[in-house]
Structures are given as structure tokens and as C-alpha cells.
Amino acid sequence: MKVQDSIRARLILGAAVVLVTFVAGAGWAVQRAHQDSVLTQRFAQLQSTVYLLLAGAEIDDAGALVMPPSFPEPRLSLPASGLYANVVNVAKREEWQSPSTVGAEPPFQRDVPVGQWRYDTRTTQGRTYLAASYGVSWAGKTQPVPLVLSVLEDKSEFNREIAVFERTMWTWLAGASLLLLLSQTLLLEWGLSPLRRVAREVRRIEQGEQSEVEGRYPAEIAALTGNLNTLIKQERVRQTRYKEALSFLAHSLKTPLAVLRGALHEPAELPAAVTQQVARMDDIVQHQLGRAAASGLARFAPHLAIAPVLHRIRDSLQKVYADKSLDFAIDCPAGLSWRIDEGDAFEMLGNVMDNAAKWAVHRVRVKAWTERRRLVLEIDDDGKGFGDTQAILQLHVRADEQVPGHGVGLAVVNDLVASHEGELKLERSEWGGGRVRIALPAA
């Protein structure tokens, strides 16, 4: 599996890179800080040795340098001990070197201005030394005597101390890094375990072993699993609707087909029977296709502006029923929008408003508003109103047999409203005509 295909691999690799970078940077900073600290400490010790030389040095009456035979620092008396001292009497061109210089040739500093300290690293014959030098004007009996005091220490001891510290530090840092990486890996495994459980549940859903995601998950995943269950539910409802539509279609077409077969034996009645039954079959097909294609309650549908839909339907109906000169009023807030499929909205509102315009005498009014997380639509007309409100919602039942149509419109609307888990009511308008009231809940 490639790294880019796995969140787990990405997180572990990213954590490892960040951890190694941080530990390397921190280790380098600590190493430099320790090295600078030890170097400062070494120079301070060399400075103390210079002061020790100053305390023991004397100038005789002739202006010559006189040094004691031994010092409290025993390494100055031990040959090749690694600590070496030198005092130069600049006026007499004489110098004194500690007994530790026997067999060694340390590169002493001999030209330091009076009152100045010099700290540096000096190398000779493949050996490196830490050096501290100080120039001083000694008050002699006749005149000041300039002296240069220089102390050198073999840097190998300093290097060993630094190497021991670095080895110990990097060993512990490496161990701590491995422990942290292991801990982080375990934490990632624990943190990503809900995703693995979701994946297992989805596989079981695909294999038909369960119907939806059943487990309880953290808040960050709960929204995902909830939406996934909604999609699964909507898809199953849609598949069920397709199957039912096909079943109802097959069942509903049996009667018209039987009528046509019977009409074959009576040639005189055949044209009228064919015309009537073909129209009936067309209505049945339209009704069942409308039921099957209904999107239903859609959580993921975009918000649809309701007012433009109403105005477009009104403009079309005014052309269709131009001979009636209807007063078609739309009462809908301009900013009203709702989560609904555009095709469902046009199918639902188009059928209801068409029925209102078909039965109206002079006026049709459409109102739309929201209340208690529901979209409410009321379509009123001043026609004759409804008789049997329950029967009208069934296929091929019409309120007025003299009005053209086959009773399909309100039946389709009823199915569409039901697919949106809404409510459709047929009432009497304030003008004495019909009122269709539709209430759709929020997705």
C-alpha cells in the first residue's frame, strides 16, 4: 500500500519526520549549549591558574623574574600532565616554564598587551590546546616590569568530556524517540480505530450482513455515519419505489389490455376503445413513473428558491388559461428557500396550481411560508371546491367529470408529498372554492 493511500501511514510517517526533526534540532542545541558551557568552564579554570601564577611570581631587585619551585596545582609540576604554564619577562627577555612542559613544546602566547585577556585554541604538531593569556605590568622597585602569563591545557580532555556527553545524550534521545514514536503509533491506532470499525461495517453492509451502520462513534465521525445511513435509507426507499412502481404498472395495465382484447371481437367499437384505453394507459404510466422518480426527503439536496418556481408556473398557466383571464396572486417571501429537488417541486406545485387554474372561475392565490421547521403551501381557488376529498386523491378519480383530465394530477401530488414525509389536505377556501394545503418537513 502506498503512503498516499493510507491515512495511518501518512500520520505515522508525518509524526516520525516531525519527531526526528525536533529531536535532532533539540539535541544539536543542547550539544552546542553544553559544549559552550564546558569551554567557558575550561577557560575559567585556565584563568584561575593564571591568577595562581600571578600570586607566586616575584621580581627581584635587578628586575629579574623569580618563580616558586612548586604550585598548589600539582599538574604544573608533573611532566606531560596536559597543563602547561609560561611567564615571559618582556623587559629582560626571559621566560619561565612550568616543569610540566618537559618533553613538550606547547605554543605559548608571548605578546599580549598589558591589561588584556586572550582566550583561543592553538594547534601545533598535531595537538590542540586551549589557551588563556594575560598581559600585566608588574610594579618593580625602579620601574614597571611587563609580564605575559600564558596557561595551556591539552584539548583531548575537553574532547573526551564532550564525546562522553554527546554519546550519552544521543543514546537517551534515540531511546526516548523510539519510545515516543511507539507511543504515538499506539495512540494513532487507538484514534483511528473508529474509522476501521466504520470500514468493517460498510463491508458488512455491502455483503448484506447488516442494513445500516449500527455502532456508536465519536462526534467527528457520527455526522458521517448518520449521513451514510440516510443515503442508504434513501437508496433503499428509491429501489423499493421502483419495484412497487413496476409491480403497480404491470397490474394496472392488465385491465386496459383486457379491454383492448375484448374490443378486437367488435370492430365497430375498436377505435373508440383504443383511444380511451391508450389514454388511460398513458395516465397510468405517467403516474407510476412520477412515483418512481420522486426524489423524496433529500438531506443533501441544495436549497431551492420557492418564489421563482411559483412565478414560472404561474406565467405558464396564465398562457394556458388565457381565455379565463384569471387573477393569479403569489404570496411568497423573496428569500424563502427549501431543501427539495427542483423536479419534485415543479411536479408537485405544477399539478396543484394547474388543478386550481382549471377549476377556478376568476381567482387563484398561492401562499408559501415556513413554520415549526416546515414549508407550508396553500393554493386557493374560487371554483366549486372538493366533494369526496379522499376519493379525489386516488388515481382516475376527478372532482368534475366535465373538466378535461383523467384524475392523475392530485394522485401524483399525494404520492410526492408522501415521499417527502409531508402532509396534504384538501379543504374549502375562503371564497368557497377548493384549497390544497401542503406541509413538508425539513430534511
Side-chain angles (χ1 to χ4, degrees), residues 66-89:
V66 179
M67 300 295 292
S70 62
F71 289 89
E73 172 56 69
R75 288 193 298 165
L76 291 177
S77 302
L78 184 64
S81 64
L83 183 64
Y84 312 104
N86 180 72
V87 180
V88 178
N89 185 345

Side-chain angles (χ1 to χ4, degrees), residues 190-204 210 213-218 221 225:
W190 176 69
L192 294 175
S193 60
L195 291 178
R196 289 195 296 273
R197 287 195 288 125
V198 169
R200 287 196 294 269
E201 289 207 59
V202 171
R203 283 195 294 271
R204 286 198 292 269
Q210 64 185 65
V213 179
E214 301 171 351
R216 297 183 60 185
Y217 294 96
I221 305 178
T225 56

Side-chain angles (χ1 to χ4, degrees), residues 4 169 177 263:
Q4 59 266 29
M169 180 191 70
S177 299

Side-chain angles (χ1 to χ4, degrees), residues 251-261 277 280-281 284:
H251 180 74
S252 300
L253 291 178
K254 288 181 179 178
T255 300
L257 290 175
V259 172
L260 290 175
R261 290 194 195 97
Q277 298 306 318
R280 184 179 182 185
M281 287 189 289
I284 292 173

Side-chain angles (χ1 to χ4, degrees), residues 94-313:
E94 62 175 341
E95 63 180 79
W96 171 89
Q97 293 186 351
S98 63
S100 60
T101 60
V102 175
E105 297 181 2
F108 291 113
Q109 184 77 27
R110 294 179 173 86
D111 55 350
V112 180
V114 174
Q116 290 189 10
W117 283 93
R118 285 189 180 175
Y119 304 98
D120 57 3
T121 301
R122 307 176 71 83
T123 302
T124 184
Q125 297 180 355
R127 299 181 70 89
T128 304
Y129 302 88
L130 299 177
S133 304
Y134 181 57
V136 64
S137 180
W138 195 272
K141 291 184 177 181
T142 57
Q143 59 182 1
V145 179
L147 299 178
V148 176
L149 300 95
S150 182
V151 178
L152 274 66
E153 183 181 28
D154 196 327
K155 197 180 177 184
S156 59
E157 184 64 26
F158 168 82
N159 292 336
R160 279 195 297 272
E161 182 177 353
I162 295 298
V164 169
F165 174 82
E166 290 179 359
R167 184 168 58 252
T168 303
M169 180 191 70
W170 287 112
T171 299
W172 280 99
L173 284 178
S177 299
L178 291 176
L179 181 61
L180 286 173
L181 188 58
L182 177 61
S183 302
Q184 203 161 22
T185 302
L186 294 177
L187 285 174
L188 289 175
E189 292 289 336
W190 176 69
L192 294 175
S193 60
L195 291 178
R196 289 195 296 273
R197 287 195 288 125
V198 169
R200 287 196 294 269
E201 289 207 59
V202 171
R203 283 195 294 271
R204 286 198 292 269
I205 292 172
E206 292 173 348
Q207 296 167 2
E209 298 176 4
Q210 64 185 65
S211 60
E212 62 180 13
V213 179
E214 301 171 351
R216 297 183 60 185
Y217 294 96
E220 294 80 3
I221 305 178
L224 172 65
T225 56
N227 289 337
L228 182 59
N229 283 337
T230 300
L231 286 173
I232 293 173
K233 180 181 177 181
Q234 290 180 351
E235 181 60 26
R236 285 180 177 158
V237 169
R238 186 177 292 110
Q239 292 294 334
T240 301
R241 192 182 298 120
Y242 287 155
K243 292 178 181 178
E244 290 178 350
L246 291 174
S247 176
F248 292 153
L249 183 62
H251 180 74
S252 300
L253 291 178
K254 288 181 179 178
T255 300
L257 290 175
V259 172
L260 290 175
R261 290 194 195 97
L264 292 176
H265 302 289
E266 299 179 7
E269 299 180 1
L270 183 60
V274 169
T275 301
Q276 181 183 14
Q277 298 306 318
V278 167
R280 184 179 182 185
M281 287 189 289
D282 181 61
D283 290 338
I284 292 173
V285 171
Q286 289 183 21
H287 175 63
Q288 297 300 340
L289 289 180
R291 292 184 59 190
S295 297
L297 195 64
R299 178 183 299 180
F300 307 104
H303 281 275
L304 177 68
I306 302 300
V309 174
L310 296 175
H311 284 93
R312 286 173 60 184
I313 296 174

